[in-house]
Amino acid sequence: MANFGELVLVLGDIHIPLRANAIPEKFKRMLVPGKMQHVICTGNLDVEQFEELRDLAPNVHIVQGDFDEFTCNITFPETRVVQVGVFRIGIVHGHQVLPWNDQAALGRMRRKLHCDVLISGHTHQNHVLEHDGHYHINPVCILFILSKR
């Protein structure tokens, strides 16, 4: 069987409990512990969601969201850079990248973090864009994805 590398779950701002009581059950059923090697989250979660994410994979990478101070008594870093395979992945919530969702501003943050891929949230606009030979990914909030179907 071919080796496809490491499986990474990327989640945008979770916004629980501010916008919903829990991760929707139909999404939660897909979250099987031990299937992925990394979980990356752009913040805005509470302690319960943090514990759930820690149960999913041996490597959980979370950055501080703009609402975490109200919902979570855990302090996460503002930015993180993780190595997954040959890629350096920068993670930032996104509220500190101005103007929001601006590719040039995201490019400056990506260069500052010296990474190949930048994952940011905050804008609730899903995108995967190539910019200057690198990628900018916004995974969007799972609550918004499921509510729009």
Side-chain angles (χ1 to χ4, degrees), residues 7-36:
L7 185 60
V8 179
L9 172 66
V10 179
L11 298 169
D13 314 16
I14 294 182
H15 286 297
I16 293 172
L18 293 176
R19 298 187 182 172
N21 293 328
I23 294 173
E25 198 56 43
K26 59 185 171 182
F27 186 79
K28 209 174 204 179
R29 283 192 301 266
M30 294 185 283
L31 302 177
V32 178
K35 293 290 183 183
M36 54 211 96

Side-chain angles (χ1 to χ4, degrees), residues 3-11 23 27-41 49 52-61 84 142:
N3 180 356
F4 291 103
E6 299 177 80
L7 185 60
V8 179
L9 172 66
V10 179
L11 298 169
I23 294 173
F27 186 79
K28 209 174 204 179
R29 283 192 301 266
M30 294 185 283
L31 302 177
V32 178
K35 293 290 183 183
M36 54 211 96
Q37 290 71 46
H38 298 269
V39 173
I40 294 175
C41 178
Q49 278 67 52
E52 288 178 2
L53 295 179
R54 283 188 4 177
D55 289 342
L56 290 176
N59 304 293
V60 178
H61 317 286
V84 177
I142 61 173

Side-chain angles (χ1 to χ4, degrees), residues 14-149:
I14 294 182
H15 286 297
I16 293 172
L18 293 176
R19 298 187 182 172
N21 293 328
I23 294 173
E25 198 56 43
K26 59 185 171 182
F27 186 79
K28 209 174 204 179
R29 283 192 301 266
M30 294 185 283
L31 302 177
V32 178
K35 293 290 183 183
M36 54 211 96
Q37 290 71 46
H38 298 269
V39 173
I40 294 175
C41 178
T42 61
N44 287 342
L45 71 164
D46 72 2
V47 175
E48 183 178 335
Q49 278 67 52
F50 174 64
E51 294 298 329
E52 288 178 2
L53 295 179
R54 283 188 4 177
D55 289 342
L56 290 176
N59 304 293
V60 178
H61 317 286
I62 300 172
V63 292
Q64 187 77 22
D66 58 342
F67 284 96
D68 286 335
E69 64 186 273
F70 305 111
T71 61
C72 191
N73 61 1
I74 301 169
T75 302
F76 301 107
E78 283 284 315
T79 63
R80 287 193 76 166
V81 177
V82 298
Q83 187 82 30
V84 177
V86 298
F87 297 101
R88 284 180 48 88
I89 301 174
I91 312 159
V92 61
H93 173 257
H95 68 280
Q96 58 281 74
V97 180
L98 298 172
W100 295 338
N101 213 27
D102 178 78
Q103 296 309 304
L106 289 166
R108 285 190 295 278
M109 177 62 76
R110 180 186 42 74
R111 287 188 297 278
K112 178 181 175 183
L113 297 177
H114 306 286
C115 58
D116 305 302
V117 177
L118 179 68
I119 296 175
S120 66
H122 185 61
T123 64
H124 306 150
Q125 297 174 359
N126 183 324
H127 69 253
V128 176
L129 298 171
E130 185 177 357
H131 185 262
D132 291 337
H134 298 82
Y135 287 95
H136 299 166
I137 299 173
N138 186 328
V140 85
C141 174
I142 61 173
L143 300 175
F144 298 147
I145 290 173
L146 294 171
S147 67
K148 291 183 179 184
R149 290 188 178 196

